[in-house]
Amino acid sequence: ADPIRFASSATYPPFESLNSSNQIVGFDIDLAKALCQQMKSECTFTNQAFDSLIPSLKFRKYDAVISGMDITPERSKQVTFTNPYYANSALVIAKKDQYQSFEQLKGKRIGMENGTTHQKYLQDKHPEVKTVAYDSYQNAIIDLKNGRLDGVFGDTAVVNEWLKKNPQLGPATGKVTDPQYFGTGLGIAVRPGNTALLNKLNDALAAIKANGTYQKISDKWFPAG
Ligand SMILES: NC(=[NH2+])NCCC[C@H](N)C(=O)O
């Protein structure tokens, strides 16, 4: 059988990032590998810009997208998602102890990756905040550290990772979970007609949850939770 071609945007540790030998690693990657093993399929991974993942999937360049992607009503018009594999929330981080709420971020420059749910949420719900789009979250964090941004808005698990490494930064808002924008968890996207792959992925996900493999992968990448 042909390998299952996964696409991901490796800018988002602990979900996916490139290690020092330029290999794609992370929770999503280990999860996809475990699913492939469960399905007895080969799988390959390609690193691509986040906002190009859904278009490339539609063009059949890949078979599946696993990229810390929120299952949202809007995306579900274009792709089909597996059952959720991770419960998500979002958070703005900034210089430690500087802001506590979105009201205080009025007029401030908040960075995020292009094409993310964070970008859409801020644009729709907090037009008083200046949204600054980046090609990758990594570049947004660089600008937060050098003072070109006042904050960065991302998934809680991801921004927490940055907080651990940067003690000068801290949370600037409470956790945001608006399901209309951030959906019902993270899912793997496939093309709408590809029910064969969708069912195989959902069955494999249930199996690795039942046999403890999912928990092991989760403990490895999210040691605190
Ligand atoms: N691998 C990445 N860079 N993922 C960014 C995901 C951001 C957010 N969870 C979304 O679905 O839009």
Side-chain angles (χ1 to χ4, degrees), residues 101-167:
S101 65
F102 278 106
E103 290 90 88
Q104 297 175 350
L105 292 170
K106 186 173 176 191
K108 301 294 171 198
R109 295 166 56 82
I110 306 300
M112 79 288 300
E113 197 170 79
N114 226 351
T116 58
T117 47
H118 309 109
Q119 182 183 34
K120 182 127 184 43
Y121 177 83
L122 272 195
Q123 286 171 345
D124 286 6
K125 294 282 177 169
H126 293 285
E128 75 280 11
V129 170
K130 292 201 181 100
T131 55
V132 187
Y134 283 80
D135 61 339
S136 82
Y137 265 107
Q138 263 129 12
N139 288 334
I141 284 291
I142 290 172
D143 274 4
L144 176 60
K145 291 206 268 184
N146 66 27
R148 263 180 243 138
L149 281 180
D150 301 300
V152 167
F153 189 29
D155 289 299
T156 305
V158 175
V159 295
N160 275 342
E161 194 89 345
W162 289 321
L163 293 184
K164 271 191 250 160
K165 291 189 191 124
N166 299 282

Side-chain angles (χ1 to χ4, degrees), residues 4 20 40 61 75 91 131 145 154 161 195 207 214 219:
I4 301 170
S20 49
K40 300 195 168 45
K61 241 176 121 181
R75 288 175 179 153
L91 188 67
T131 55
K145 291 206 268 184
E161 194 89 345
T195 18
Y214 177 94
D219 292 343

Side-chain angles (χ1 to χ4, degrees), residues 9 27 33 35-36 60 74-75 77 86-87 92 98 101 112 122-123 127 133 143 150 165 168 171 177-178 180 200 207:
S9 189
F27 173 77
K33 284 180 179 166
L35 294 174
C36 289
R60 301 180 172 265
E74 192 170 313
R75 288 175 179 153
K77 288 180 198 153
Y86 186 86
V92 178
Q98 208 168 15
S101 65
M112 79 288 300
L122 272 195
Q123 286 171 345
D143 274 4
D150 301 300
K165 291 189 191 124
Q168 76 281 18
T177 53
D178 188 332
Q180 209 209 317
K200 269 169 55 176

Side-chain angles (χ1 to χ4, degrees), residues 182-198:
F182 299 103
T184 47
L186 303 182
I188 303 171
V190 300
R191 274 183 300 280
N194 201 349
T195 18
L197 180 56
L198 181 73

